[in-house]
Amino acid sequence: MKLSGKVALITGSGSGIGKAAALLFAKEGASIAVSDINLSSAEQATEAIKQLGGRAIAIRADVSDAGDVDMMVDKVIKELGGIHILVNNAGIPGENLPTIESSVEHWDKVVRVNLRGTYLCSRRSGQWMVSNKAGKVLNIASIVGLAGFVARASYGPAKAGIVNLTQTLAVEWAKYNINVNCIAPGFVMTPLDGDLIRSGRLNLELIEKRIPLGHRAQPDDIAKAALFLVSDDARYITGVTLPVDGGWLAYGDVCAK
Ligand code: NAP
């Protein structure tokens, strides 16, 4: 098992990618702090881990609230004995409206949850990791933070900020034996974009045509890359952002059949 004896805090792990990572890391021997803004989904994921024979606790926390983050990290350290792995996964989508029609309130909310949340959780967990001279931080950004996407003026820049925060913390914490990396998922089958798809602000047919591998990812496709990056197999990797996108970013052709 790749994560025996490790404690992993995964934010937003009541659903989607975070839940898939929580289950996979638990199968690899880690104790999991399942944290989410929605307590009942965190409790359901915790129950699923326990049914697999794993160890897990559920915590309700809003990653954009500094008080919640302090409480969450303190609880993980007290109940599970430390934080060896932090996955900054909690996130919310943008409005997908043309920028001139978008709302400032929504921009603030998207940046607050996605970018400030990643900063707050890294800062607080990093205090334990720095004093213990060990740790793995994995951020979940998006391909939308690595290229220009129409109508993504809040989500894209928030995710781009996470890519730079990854590099910043990687170089700052390298001397403490802490690896900081990032995954940029492409389009993944989770509830995240459900409202955007239902309202027609995302067109699934066009999206799937644009993906070289021809289909969206399953949450587990992202979780498997996450497992690699938080394991000792990736001990010499720090400061990178790995696209897990079915070839989306590699694709530059608009002419070929
Ligand atoms: P998801 O299924 O909606 O999971 C996100 C979880 O985060 C939900 O349980 C959500 O709770 C929770 N959450 C939302 N705001 C929170 C907050 N302030 N504090 C704590 N938890 C909060 O979405 P997902 O697709 O797995 O997304 C996980 C990460 O992957 C996100 O950072 C997302 O931006 C990124 N990502 C997703 C895709 C994709 O195509 N799905 C692509 C690229 C990147 P509620 O459901 O109650 O809001």
Side-chain angles (χ1 to χ4, degrees), residues 12 15-17 36-37 61-63 89-90 140-141 155 159 186 188 190-192:
S15 175
I17 294 167
D36 204 285
I37 199 164
D62 175 350
V63 295
N89 167 78
I140 306 296
Y155 189 77
K159 292 298 191 180
V188 191
T190 72
L192 184 86

Side-chain angles (χ1 to χ4, degrees), residues 13 81 101 149 170 174 217:
S13 51
E101 294 167 26
F149 283 67

Side-chain angles (χ1 to χ4, degrees), residues 42 98 139 185:
N139 298 326

Side-chain angles (χ1 to χ4, degrees), residues 187-208:
F187 291 88
V188 191
M189 291 189 210
T190 72
L192 184 86
D193 286 336
D195 288 345
L196 295 174
I197 293 165
R198 281 186 288 278
S199 67
R201 290 186 197 175
L202 275 185
N203 182 325
L204 273 191
E205 204 183 325
L206 288 181
I207 286 170
E208 299 211 322

